């Protein structure tokens, strides 16, 4: 081999090693002013807010699809009082409105055929140019548009190393590391996940489950046996045993063999999760409900008995969204909520969580499959259900099944300030407001048990209306100063279980995401801890952004 060839080969090898070194360096040293963990609706509004305030931001998203539950099936928005929804949250719903002004957006039905029913407000509000009801793919497109327009850097499918992925010094997070080995350095951090993984890994205090009423002087927290405020309980006596009347035969699937607990006491139970499935009854866009893995008709024996008791409200929560589709939610004593099967989720490993998510998917697919195949389902209901199916043009990369499980509640931060039902119900004034909520105190069922009379019953379903919109305090989205001084938690905020039942709505998460990023920008500029942000300065900025605080 001649000398020139040797030099050329050596040069190529040297350049190759240099490229590898640079790639490794770039992979392990990713810096921004603000690192946002979570691609939920809160994460994206936080990112947009940060960029608008001149800050460099990186979104580290475990999810591939952005928007969380807003793009994951919850299109029938829990608005409460729409007048309290401002800032980027309202901008999102304005963009929904603009999308559906285009006739091309109405592929499967005429716009005039849709109607205008929303949850507590008309679906389309021409005066305010907002629309509160939408298809999943529309929400995801808007989230992606936000990212493109503001040139936001997003790393997808990046999962926090929960064992030792947070580096801290003197109460500040210096960097976070993902399982792929990437290290993200920042001045401020925002945990925008539904699970609060960054918060927990940073050793910030949190709570899982229901507090006793005595903890915060509440009425609607803790165990709530024999409280029926929605229609999600057994209204007629239903036998819980595999062989009716025979205790020795064992309980039917999903019924606990433990007593429910003493009314008002705390426990570690969570309100149930489900998928908000997007169905359609348009024959050209409909896919027949699939038979799930490990299907067992006996898992739905309890539902058969509910039908036999005379229950007929199957289609009560097939809420209309555009193009002959639904946002399908839980309704009745036995429905899409997989009651009691999510208790381990918050602290579970990623592998365990995937298993829990899959179990929820199998349960819900099995529910639909049971209802279209089992002879014990009333013929008229079964015939109608067979006209429905999964929407062919939604969640196309996931078998037309939602990519986001509805994590109604997971960890909740415990800070120096905790939102309780007393603030939601207007009994206590809220200091330093950074957003508003207005939805009812709302908890889905947490357990299914056998009553003293030997019948099956659900427990935990609460719906207490807030008398007027309420503010959410700044202290609820920042940790204790003794624990972490550069972290914001706008989703798993500091709140009691039952107050979280009102605050946990997607518009509120977007509002708090924007407020968190705004406060983060101030903390960076003023070189201070998040707990020391001057409220007057924050309030002025939030009002300029058209947030609604009081």
């Amino acid at each position: 081999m001649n000398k020139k060839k040797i030099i050329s080969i050596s040069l190529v090898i040297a350049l190759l090693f240099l490229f590898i070194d640079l790639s490794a360096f770039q992979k392990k040293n990713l810096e921004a002013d603000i690192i946002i963990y979570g691609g939920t609706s809160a994460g994206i509004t936080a990112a947009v807010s940060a960029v608008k305030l001149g800050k460099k931001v990186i979104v580290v998203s475990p999810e591939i699809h952005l928007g969380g539950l807003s793009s994951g099936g919850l299109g029938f928005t829990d608005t409460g009082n729409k007048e309290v929804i401002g800032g980027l949250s309202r901008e999102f719903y304005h963009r929904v409105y603009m999308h559906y002004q285009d006739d091309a957006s109405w592929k499967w039905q005429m716009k005039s055929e849709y109607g205008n029913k929303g949850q507590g407000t008309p679906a389309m509000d021409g005066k305010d140019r907002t629309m509160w009801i939408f298809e999943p793919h529309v929400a995801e497109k808007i989230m992606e548009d936000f990212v493109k327009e503001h040139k936001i850097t997003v790393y997808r499918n990046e999962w926090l190393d929960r064992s030792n992925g947070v580096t801290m010094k003197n109460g500040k997070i210096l960097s976070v590391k993902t399982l792929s080995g990437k290290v993200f350095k920042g001045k401020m951090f925002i945990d925008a996940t539904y699970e609060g993984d960054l918060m927990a890994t940073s050793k910030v205090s949190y709570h899982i489950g229901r507090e006793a009423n005595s903890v915060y002087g509440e009425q609607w927290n803790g165990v709530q046996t024999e409280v029926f405020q929605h229609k999600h309980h057994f209204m007629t006596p239903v036998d819980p045993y595999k062989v009716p009347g025979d205790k020795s035969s064992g309980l039917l699937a999903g019924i606990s063999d433990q007593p429910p607990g003493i009314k008002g006491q705390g426990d570690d139970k969570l309100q149930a999760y489900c998928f908000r499935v997007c169905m359609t009854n348009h024959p050209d866009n409909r896919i027949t409900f699939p038979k799930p893995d490990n299907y067992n008709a006996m898992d739905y024996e309890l539902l058969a008995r509910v039908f036999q008791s005379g229950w007929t409200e199957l289609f009560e929560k097939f809420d209309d969204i555009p193009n002959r589709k639904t946002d399908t939610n839980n309704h009745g004593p036995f429905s899409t909520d997989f009651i009691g099967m999510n208790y381990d989720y918050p602290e579970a490993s990623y592998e365990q969580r995937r298993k829990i998510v899959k179990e929820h998917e199998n349960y819900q697919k099995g529910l639909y499959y049971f209802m279209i195949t089992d002879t014990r389902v009333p013929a008229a209901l079964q015939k109608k259900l067979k006209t429905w199916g999964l929407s062919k043009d939604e969640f196309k990369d996931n078998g037309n099944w939602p990519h986001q499980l509805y994590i109604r509640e997971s960890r909740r931060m415990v800070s120096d300030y905790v939102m309780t039902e007393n603030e939601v119900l207007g009994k206590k004034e809220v200091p330093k407001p950074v957003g508003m909520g207005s939805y009812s105190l709302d908890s889905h069922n947490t357990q299914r048990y056998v009553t003293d009379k030997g019948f099956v019953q659900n427990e935990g379903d609460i719906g207490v209306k807030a008398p007027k919109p309420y503010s959410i305090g700044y202290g609820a989205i920042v940790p204790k100063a003794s624990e972490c001084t550069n972290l914001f938690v706008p989703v798993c905020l500091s709140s009691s279980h039952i107050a979280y039942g009102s605050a946990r709505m997607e518009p509120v998460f977007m509002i708090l995401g924007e407020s968190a990023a705004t406060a983060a920008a101030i903390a960076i500029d003023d070189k201070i801890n998040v707990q020391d942000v001057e409220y007057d300065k924050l309030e002025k900025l939030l009002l300029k952004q058209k947030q609604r605080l009081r």
Side-chain angles (χ1 to χ4, degrees):
M1 190 179 290
N2 62 39
K3 201 171 184 180
K4 283 186 178 179
K5 279 189 176 179
I6 292 170
I7 292 170
S8 296
I9 291 169
S10 299
L11 186 60
V12 168
I13 292 170
L15 287 170
L16 183 62
F17 275 112
L18 180 62
F19 174 76
I20 291 169
D21 285 343
L22 282 171
S23 296
F25 178 79
Q26 289 169 348
K27 181 179 179 182
K28 290 184 177 179
N29 291 274
L30 301 159
E31 293 193 40
D33 295 312
I34 303 172
I35 304 296
I36 299 167
Y37 185 60
T40 60
S41 59
I44 301 307
T45 55
V48 173
S49 178
V51 170
K52 282 188 166 188
L53 292 167
K55 301 306 174 200
K56 183 181 178 183
V57 64
I58 293 175
V59 176
V60 183
S61 176
E63 307 85 6
I64 294 170
H65 297 273
L66 303 181
L69 201 63
S70 287
S71 61
L74 204 167
F76 195 73
T77 305
D78 303 306
T79 47
N81 186 324
K82 66 184 181 182
E83 298 306 319
V84 307
I85 301 169
L88 289 169
S89 186
R90 180 164 282 259
E91 169 66 15
F92 170 83
Y93 297 105
H94 169 65
R95 291 188 179 212
V96 172
Y97 174 87
M98 295 305 294
H99 172 85
Y100 287 109
Q101 292 307 297
D102 185 350
D103 289 340
S105 299
W106 298 88
K107 182 177 179 180
W108 303 110
Q109 72 177 151
M110 299 288 288
K111 183 180 176 183
S112 59
E113 295 171 349
Y114 169 60
N116 203 24
K117 181 192 173 190
Q119 188 169 178
T121 185
M124 287 177 275
D125 188 334
K127 176 177 171 287
D128 286 346
R129 295 168 66 82
T130 52
M131 185 166 174
W132 309 96
I133 313 297
F134 48 86
E135 298 160 275
H137 74 270
V138 172
E140 185 169 2
K141 183 183 182 301
I142 293 169
M143 293 296 172
E144 293 289 355
D145 287 345
F146 277 146
V147 167
K148 287 174 189 171
E149 290 166 20
H150 297 280
K151 299 180 173 61
I152 295 165
T153 301
V154 181
Y155 286 84
R156 304 175 198 240
N157 199 26
E158 290 290 342
W159 300 79
L160 176 67
D161 180 346
R162 290 160 59 194
S163 59
N164 60 355
V166 175
T167 301
M168 297 185 70
K169 185 178 180 181
N170 298 327
K172 284 189 186 295
I173 302 172
L174 302 180
S175 65
V176 297
K177 183 179 71 173
T178 58
L179 294 177
S180 71
K182 293 184 181 69
V183 176
F184 298 89
K185 297 181 178 179
K187 298 171 184 173
M188 293 286 153
F189 293 80
I190 298 174
D191 185 341
T193 63
Y194 293 122
E195 295 83 4
D197 283 343
L198 176 55
M199 168 190 74
T201 310
S202 304
K203 301 295 188 289
V204 168
S205 297
Y206 60 86
H207 186 79
I208 297 171
R210 302 183 286 186
E211 299 91 349
N213 278 326
S214 58
V215 174
Y216 298 119
E218 296 176 296
Q219 179 182 354
W220 300 110
N221 210 334
V223 176
Q224 295 288 331
T225 44
E226 301 300 313
V227 174
F228 307 126
Q229 293 171 333
H230 292 119
K231 296 166 77 177
H232 308 320
H233 61 280
F234 292 84
M235 289 178 267
T236 55
V238 174
D239 192 287
Y241 301 106
K242 290 177 182 177
V243 176
D246 182 2
K247 289 184 180 182
S248 66
S249 66
L251 292 165
L252 292 173
I255 303 175
S256 172
D257 62 357
Q258 299 297 309
I262 299 168
K263 189 170 182 178
Q265 77 174 12
D267 58 23
D268 58 2
K269 296 178 174 65
L270 297 168
Q271 57 177 310
Y273 300 167
C274 70
F275 285 95
R276 299 290 285 254
V277 173
C278 185
M279 298 184 187
T280 182
N281 64 357
H282 196 295
D284 296 335
N285 194 35
R286 183 180 72 225
I287 295 173
T288 302
F289 296 115
K291 184 178 182 179
D293 300 331
N294 306 316
Y295 175 73
N296 182 358
M298 272 302 292
D299 291 341
Y300 308 96
E301 169 66 24
L302 188 56
L303 177 59
R305 295 182 190 180
V306 172
F307 283 130
Q308 288 164 1
S309 75
W311 188 77
T312 60
E313 299 173 16
L314 176 58
F315 300 98
E316 187 79 11
K317 285 301 289 178
F318 279 48
D319 291 315
D320 290 336
I321 62 175
N323 284 307
R324 286 179 62 173
K325 298 177 187 175
T326 68
D327 166 359
T328 315
N329 198 8
N330 180 84
H331 178 77
F334 190 108
S335 184
T336 58
D337 281 356
F338 200 16
I339 298 172
M341 303 302 162
N342 59 346
Y343 301 158
D344 294 336
Y345 182 86
E347 301 282 46
S349 68
Y350 293 134
E351 184 180 358
Q352 290 169 324
R353 282 184 187 167
R354 283 190 288 270
K355 183 181 176 185
I356 293 169
V357 171
K358 183 64 176 175
E359 287 169 352
H360 278 71
E361 178 184 332
N362 285 342
Y363 163 78
Q364 208 161 329
K365 283 182 176 177
L367 176 70
Y368 300 138
Y369 186 78
F370 175 85
M371 290 192 293
I372 63 169
T373 60
D374 199 280
T375 56
R376 290 169 295 173
V377 177
L381 295 179
Q382 189 171 75
K383 183 180 178 180
K384 184 177 178 181
L385 185 60
K386 284 181 177 180
T387 67
W388 291 90
L390 302 181
S391 299
K392 194 182 295 184
D393 61 351
E394 299 289 351
F395 313 118
K396 290 188 281 189
D397 65 346
N398 197 42
N400 309 104
W401 192 258
H403 42 70
Q404 176 64 59
L405 180 64
Y406 193 174
I407 309 301
R408 287 190 172 93
E409 183 178 6
S410 182
R411 301 181 181 102
R412 286 171 284 105
M413 181 167 64
V414 179
S415 190
D416 289 326
Y417 177 76
V418 180
M419 287 286 294
T420 73
E421 71 175 47
N422 297 305
E423 285 79 11
V424 174
L425 298 179
K427 297 176 182 178
K428 283 188 178 179
E429 192 174 340
V430 175
K432 300 181 180 179
V434 290
M436 296 190 74
S438 62
Y439 206 74
S440 302
L441 296 172
D442 182 78
S443 173
H444 282 231
N445 281 305
T446 63
Q447 59 184 326
R448 180 173 286 144
Y449 68 102
V450 179
T451 68
D452 293 339
K453 294 180 180 179
F455 300 113
V456 62
Q457 192 52 270
N458 297 333
E459 183 275 322
D461 181 69
I462 298 295
V464 177
K465 190 174 181 180
K468 61 182 180 179
Y470 60 91
S471 299
I472 298 172
Y474 180 66
I477 65 170
V478 296
K480 297 174 183 176
S482 59
E483 294 181 343
C484 188
T485 58
N486 65 338
L487 174 67
F488 292 87
V489 186
V491 177
C492 295
L493 63 149
S494 181
S495 164
S496 72
H497 153 74
I498 198 58
Y500 194 76
S502 174
R504 63 179 175 82
M505 306 304 160
E506 288 289 297
V508 177
F509 288 155
M510 289 189 237
I511 289 165
L512 296 180
E514 179 177 7
S515 295
T518 304
I522 293 172
I524 290 170
D525 289 343
D526 292 352
K527 296 181 174 60
I528 55 174
N529 297 334
V530 299
Q531 293 84 4
D532 299 327
V533 168
E534 185 183 330
Y535 180 70
D536 288 346
K537 189 180 290 189
L538 175 59
E539 180 186 40
K540 188 176 179 181
L541 258 180
L542 294 179
L543 292 174
K544 187 178 179 182
Q545 293 163 359
K546 299 185 179 178
Q547 289 270 46
R548 298 174 185 186
L549 307 180
R550 298 179 180 82

PDB file of all heavy atoms in Angstrom, residues 150-164:
ATOM      1  N   HIS A 150     -42.922  27.660  16.791  1.00  0.00           N
ATOM      2  CA  HIS A 150     -42.017  28.256  17.779  1.00  0.00           C
ATOM      3  C   HIS A 150     -40.650  27.565  17.812  1.00  0.00           C
ATOM      4  O   HIS A 150     -39.838  27.845  18.703  1.00  0.00           O
ATOM      5  CB  HIS A 150     -42.681  28.230  19.154  1.00  0.00           C
ATOM      6  CG  HIS A 150     -43.942  29.045  19.221  1.00  0.00           C
ATOM      7  ND1 HIS A 150     -43.935  30.408  19.369  1.00  0.00           N
ATOM      8  CD2 HIS A 150     -45.245  28.684  19.106  1.00  0.00           C
ATOM      9  CE1 HIS A 150     -45.182  30.857  19.365  1.00  0.00           C
ATOM     10  NE2 HIS A 150     -45.994  29.828  19.212  1.00  0.00           N
ATOM     11  N   LYS A 151     -40.445  26.681  16.812  1.00  0.00           N
ATOM     12  CA  LYS A 151     -39.154  25.998  16.664  1.00  0.00           C
ATOM     13  C   LYS A 151     -38.693  25.355  17.979  1.00  0.00           C
ATOM     14  O   LYS A 151     -37.550  25.519  18.418  1.00  0.00           O
ATOM     15  CB  LYS A 151     -38.090  26.951  16.128  1.00  0.00           C
ATOM     16  CG  LYS A 151     -38.409  27.520  14.747  1.00  0.00           C
ATOM     17  CD  LYS A 151     -37.318  28.471  14.272  1.00  0.00           C
ATOM     18  CE  LYS A 151     -37.538  28.920  12.841  1.00  0.00           C
ATOM     19  NZ  LYS A 151     -38.807  29.643  12.632  1.00  0.00           N
ATOM     20  N   ILE A 152     -39.612  24.651  18.602  1.00  0.00           N
ATOM     21  CA  ILE A 152     -39.332  24.013  19.896  1.00  0.00           C
ATOM     22  C   ILE A 152     -38.623  22.685  19.665  1.00  0.00           C
ATOM     23  O   ILE A 152     -39.066  21.862  18.862  1.00  0.00           O
ATOM     24  CB  ILE A 152     -40.640  23.808  20.680  1.00  0.00           C
ATOM     25  CG1 ILE A 152     -41.263  25.171  21.040  1.00  0.00           C
ATOM     26  CG2 ILE A 152     -40.393  22.998  21.950  1.00  0.00           C
ATOM     27  CD1 ILE A 152     -42.703  25.086  21.491  1.00  0.00           C
ATOM     28  N   THR A 153     -37.543  22.470  20.371  1.00  0.00           N
ATOM     29  CA  THR A 153     -36.810  21.205  20.292  1.00  0.00           C
ATOM     30  C   THR A 153     -37.501  20.169  21.171  1.00  0.00           C
ATOM     31  O   THR A 153     -37.699  20.384  22.362  1.00  0.00           O
ATOM     32  CB  THR A 153     -35.355  21.389  20.762  1.00  0.00           C
ATOM     33  OG1 THR A 153     -34.726  22.371  19.932  1.00  0.00           O
ATOM     34  CG2 THR A 153     -34.580  20.081  20.663  1.00  0.00           C
ATOM     35  N   VAL A 154     -37.880  19.052  20.550  1.00  0.00           N
ATOM     36  CA  VAL A 154     -38.548  17.972  21.281  1.00  0.00           C
ATOM     37  C   VAL A 154     -37.780  16.678  21.081  1.00  0.00           C
ATOM     38  O   VAL A 154     -37.508  16.276  19.954  1.00  0.00           O
ATOM     39  CB  VAL A 154     -40.007  17.774  20.807  1.00  0.00           C
ATOM     40  CG1 VAL A 154     -40.677  16.661  21.613  1.00  0.00           C
ATOM     41  CG2 VAL A 154     -40.806  19.072  20.931  1.00  0.00           C
ATOM     42  N   TYR A 155     -37.425  16.031  22.169  1.00  0.00           N
ATOM     43  CA  TYR A 155     -36.834  14.690  22.132  1.00  0.00           C
ATOM     44  C   TYR A 155     -37.921  13.714  22.569  1.00  0.00           C
ATOM     45  O   TYR A 155     -38.363  13.746  23.706  1.00  0.00           O
ATOM     46  CB  TYR A 155     -35.620  14.600  23.057  1.00  0.00           C
ATOM     47  CG  TYR A 155     -34.398  15.300  22.513  1.00  0.00           C
ATOM     48  CD1 TYR A 155     -34.225  16.670  22.707  1.00  0.00           C
ATOM     49  CD2 TYR A 155     -33.440  14.600  21.796  1.00  0.00           C
ATOM     50  CE1 TYR A 155     -33.115  17.320  22.196  1.00  0.00           C
ATOM     51  CE2 TYR A 155     -32.320  15.246  21.280  1.00  0.00           C
ATOM     52  CZ  TYR A 155     -32.168  16.603  21.484  1.00  0.00           C
ATOM     53  OH  TYR A 155     -31.057  17.250  20.973  1.00  0.00           O
ATOM     54  N   ARG A 156     -38.329  12.858  21.643  1.00  0.00           N
ATOM     55  CA  ARG A 156     -39.432  11.927  21.917  1.00  0.00           C
ATOM     56  C   ARG A 156     -38.908  10.554  22.304  1.00  0.00           C
ATOM     57  O   ARG A 156     -37.776  10.203  22.022  1.00  0.00           O
ATOM     58  CB  ARG A 156     -40.338  11.816  20.685  1.00  0.00           C
ATOM     59  CG  ARG A 156     -40.886  13.161  20.220  1.00  0.00           C
ATOM     60  CD  ARG A 156     -41.672  13.013  18.934  1.00  0.00           C
ATOM     61  NE  ARG A 156     -41.818  14.297  18.277  1.00  0.00           N
ATOM     62  CZ  ARG A 156     -42.972  14.898  17.987  1.00  0.00           C
ATOM     63  NH1 ARG A 156     -44.103  14.302  18.290  1.00  0.00           N
ATOM     64  NH2 ARG A 156     -43.000  16.076  17.390  1.00  0.00           N
ATOM     65  N   ASN A 157     -39.806   9.801  22.945  1.00  0.00           N
ATOM     66  CA  ASN A 157     -39.463   8.450  23.393  1.00  0.00           C
ATOM     67  C   ASN A 157     -38.229   8.464  24.296  1.00  0.00           C
ATOM     68  O   ASN A 157     -37.391   7.574  24.250  1.00  0.00           O
ATOM     69  CB  ASN A 157     -39.240   7.523  22.193  1.00  0.00           C
ATOM     70  CG  ASN A 157     -39.337   6.053  22.576  1.00  0.00           C
ATOM     71  OD1 ASN A 157     -40.003   5.686  23.539  1.00  0.00           O
ATOM     72  ND2 ASN A 157     -38.650   5.204  21.835  1.00  0.00           N
ATOM     73  N   GLU A 158     -38.136   9.500  25.114  1.00  0.00           N
ATOM     74  CA  GLU A 158     -37.032   9.652  26.062  1.00  0.00           C
ATOM     75  C   GLU A 158     -37.607   9.534  27.476  1.00  0.00           C
ATOM     76  O   GLU A 158     -38.400  10.368  27.904  1.00  0.00           O
ATOM     77  CB  GLU A 158     -36.327  10.996  25.886  1.00  0.00           C
ATOM     78  CG  GLU A 158     -35.529  11.113  24.601  1.00  0.00           C
ATOM     79  CD  GLU A 158     -34.288  10.224  24.598  1.00  0.00           C
ATOM     80  OE1 GLU A 158     -33.865   9.781  25.682  1.00  0.00           O
ATOM     81  OE2 GLU A 158     -33.736   9.979  23.505  1.00  0.00           O
ATOM     82  N   TRP A 159     -37.165   8.491  28.173  1.00  0.00           N
ATOM     83  CA  TRP A 159     -37.730   8.154  29.483  1.00  0.00           C
ATOM     84  C   TRP A 159     -36.735   8.459  30.593  1.00  0.00           C
ATOM     85  O   TRP A 159     -35.588   8.015  30.554  1.00  0.00           O
ATOM     86  CB  TRP A 159     -38.111   6.672  29.512  1.00  0.00           C
ATOM     87  CG  TRP A 159     -39.129   6.338  28.479  1.00  0.00           C
ATOM     88  CD1 TRP A 159     -38.911   6.134  27.134  1.00  0.00           C
ATOM     89  CD2 TRP A 159     -40.536   6.207  28.674  1.00  0.00           C
ATOM     90  NE1 TRP A 159     -40.104   5.874  26.495  1.00  0.00           N
ATOM     91  CE2 TRP A 159     -41.118   5.909  27.414  1.00  0.00           C
ATOM     92  CE3 TRP A 159     -41.360   6.290  29.800  1.00  0.00           C
ATOM     93  CZ2 TRP A 159     -42.482   5.705  27.246  1.00  0.00           C
ATOM     94  CZ3 TRP A 159     -42.726   6.090  29.634  1.00  0.00           C
ATOM     95  CH2 TRP A 159     -43.275   5.799  28.372  1.00  0.00           C
ATOM     96  N   LEU A 160     -37.168   9.221  31.564  1.00  0.00           N
ATOM     97  CA  LEU A 160     -36.315   9.585  32.696  1.00  0.00           C
ATOM     98  C   LEU A 160     -35.768   8.337  33.380  1.00  0.00           C
ATOM     99  O   LEU A 160     -36.514   7.389  33.650  1.00  0.00           O
ATOM    100  CB  LEU A 160     -37.110  10.412  33.701  1.00  0.00           C
ATOM    101  CG  LEU A 160     -36.399  10.804  35.000  1.00  0.00           C
ATOM    102  CD1 LEU A 160     -35.265  11.774  34.722  1.00  0.00           C
ATOM    103  CD2 LEU A 160     -37.399  11.407  35.988  1.00  0.00           C
ATOM    104  N   ASP A 161     -34.480   8.347  33.658  1.00  0.00           N
ATOM    105  CA  ASP A 161     -33.876   7.294  34.478  1.00  0.00           C
ATOM    106  C   ASP A 161     -34.313   7.566  35.917  1.00  0.00           C
ATOM    107  O   ASP A 161     -33.796   8.465  36.582  1.00  0.00           O
ATOM    108  CB  ASP A 161     -32.354   7.340  34.343  1.00  0.00           C
ATOM    109  CG  ASP A 161     -31.665   6.260  35.164  1.00  0.00           C
ATOM    110  OD1 ASP A 161     -32.322   5.659  36.036  1.00  0.00           O
ATOM    111  OD2 ASP A 161     -30.463   6.025  34.948  1.00  0.00           O
ATOM    112  N   ARG A 162     -35.279   6.793  36.387  1.00  0.00           N
ATOM    113  CA  ARG A 162     -35.875   7.055  37.698  1.00  0.00           C
ATOM    114  C   ARG A 162     -35.036   6.514  38.853  1.00  0.00           C
ATOM    115  O   ARG A 162     -35.353   6.772  40.022  1.00  0.00           O
ATOM    116  CB  ARG A 162     -37.286   6.465  37.747  1.00  0.00           C
ATOM    117  CG  ARG A 162     -38.281   7.224  36.872  1.00  0.00           C
ATOM    118  CD  ARG A 162     -39.514   6.400  36.540  1.00  0.00           C
ATOM    119  NE  ARG A 162     -40.223   5.979  37.725  1.00  0.00           N
ATOM    120  CZ  ARG A 162     -41.153   5.039  37.726  1.00  0.00           C
ATOM    121  NH1 ARG A 162     -41.463   4.412  36.609  1.00  0.00           N
ATOM    122  NH2 ARG A 162     -41.760   4.705  38.849  1.00  0.00           N
ATOM    123  N   SER A 163     -33.960   5.792  38.542  1.00  0.00           N
ATOM    124  CA  SER A 163     -33.110   5.277  39.622  1.00  0.00           C
ATOM    125  C   SER A 163     -32.067   6.307  40.045  1.00  0.00           C
ATOM    126  O   SER A 163     -31.893   6.572  41.226  1.00  0.00           O
ATOM    127  CB  SER A 163     -32.431   3.977  39.195  1.00  0.00           C
ATOM    128  OG  SER A 163     -31.643   4.186  38.040  1.00  0.00           O
ATOM    129  N   ASN A 164     -31.403   6.904  39.077  1.00  0.00           N
ATOM    130  CA  ASN A 164     -30.402   7.929  39.421  1.00  0.00           C
ATOM    131  C   ASN A 164     -30.254   8.956  38.305  1.00  0.00           C
ATOM    132  O   ASN A 164     -29.161   9.412  38.002  1.00  0.00           O
ATOM    133  CB  ASN A 164     -29.037   7.282  39.727  1.00  0.00           C
ATOM    134  CG  ASN A 164     -28.502   6.493  38.538  1.00  0.00           C
ATOM    135  OD1 ASN A 164     -29.183   6.342  37.526  1.00  0.00           O
ATOM    136  ND2 ASN A 164     -27.287   5.997  38.657  1.00  0.00           N
TER     137      ASN A 164
END
